[in-house]
Amino acid sequence: METTMNARTARSVVPGTGTRQLTPVVPPAARVTMALTGALLAGVLTSFGQAAPGLSSVANSAGPWFVVAVALCVLAGVRAGRVALPVAMVLGVVLLELMHVGYWATSNLRGFPDVLSITNFWVLLGFPAGALAGAVAVAVRAADVRWRGAALGATAAVLVGEGVRALLQVADTTGPVTWVVEIAVGVAVLLVAVLTARTAVGRVVALGTGVLGTVGVLAAYLALGG
């Protein structure tokens, strides 16, 4: 019993008392399972969200999916390291593609035909975007402020880059509100990255990643015609 208890809990000091208490520890397998399930659920909700007034444009945007993938990678417990980084990047790809599976299955069950193909633009985009999401999830938890700044800057770049692209290409049919909000959120993330950096180098890294990343994301969208 003692061995089992120690495997499932961790001891922590209660502030101000000096005493120790048992804190439940979520097994790594359970964390990964929750992340995978969450990805499928995100795809399911996206299908329903596209039919909801006021949510259709958000549900049709890639930025929120990227943020969800990063959050789910963090939930899965990704860590920094030479081995952990590639694993996190693969996990990010798996999570984004599971979102596609959830969306595809739900849309077809609801009577809206959808084809899940490896040649689909968004399925293909899931590979580099998922790898980036995994890398961001690792970097945002790093002790080095430069990595954290780069992680937040990359997240801001995805949001702002997509928002600007949407204003240029699809705002006439969807309206500009969703995309303006997405850009504003991205700018807010970048400001947080810059303002919370404790060093000048960290601030430069965060700002540079955000600005250059935005240009890169926008250029990729325009070049690929997504």
Side-chain angles (χ1 to χ4, degrees):
M1 178 61 71
E2 181 67 22
T3 300
T4 303
M5 181 65 74
N6 287 339
R8 296 179 180 176
T9 59
R11 295 184 180 275
S12 59
V13 178
V14 179
T17 65
T19 60
R20 292 180 178 273
Q21 66 177 4
L22 294 177
T23 303
V25 175
V26 180
R31 285 178 171 270
V32 173
T33 300
M34 288 188 291
L36 297 176
T37 303
L40 282 171
L41 181 59
V44 171
L45 293 177
T46 297
S47 179
F48 285 102
Q50 288 180 344
L55 292 178
S56 58
S57 294
V58 175
N60 273 311
S61 59
W65 269 28
F66 178 83
V67 174
V68 169
V70 172
L72 290 175
C73 282
V74 173
L75 172 65
V78 295
R79 293 286 190 275
R82 292 183 178 179
V83 176
L85 178 58
V87 171
M89 294 172 73
V90 171
L91 178 61
V93 173
V94 171
L95 291 172
L96 273 179
E97 300 304 352
L98 278 177
M99 291 184 205
H100 286 125
V101 172
Y103 173 82
W104 163 79
T106 304
S107 296
N108 280 287
L109 287 173
R110 295 176 61 229
F112 300 100
D114 184 62
V115 178
L116 189 65
S117 170
I118 189 63
T119 59
N120 180 277
F121 172 81
W122 296 109
V123 172
L124 288 173
L125 191 63
F127 288 91
L132 179 61
V136 166
V138 170
V140 80
R141 303 184 67 183
D144 193 326
V145 294
R146 292 172 296 181
W147 286 112
R148 293 205 301 271
L152 292 176
T155 302
V158 170
L159 296 174
V160 176
E162 183 187 39
V164 173
R165 169 259 173 184
L167 286 178
L168 293 175
Q169 293 186 332
V170 300
D172 289 342
T173 56
T174 64
V177 176
T178 296
W179 314 116
V180 171
V181 170
E182 185 175 16
I183 292 172
V185 172
V187 171
V189 171
L190 184 58
L191 286 175
V192 169
V194 173
L195 295 176
T196 58
R198 295 194 296 267
T199 66
V201 174
R203 289 189 285 272
V204 170
V205 169
L207 184 60
T209 303
V211 173
L212 295 178
T214 296
V215 174
V217 170
L218 177 59
Y221 266 120
L222 296 179
L224 295 174

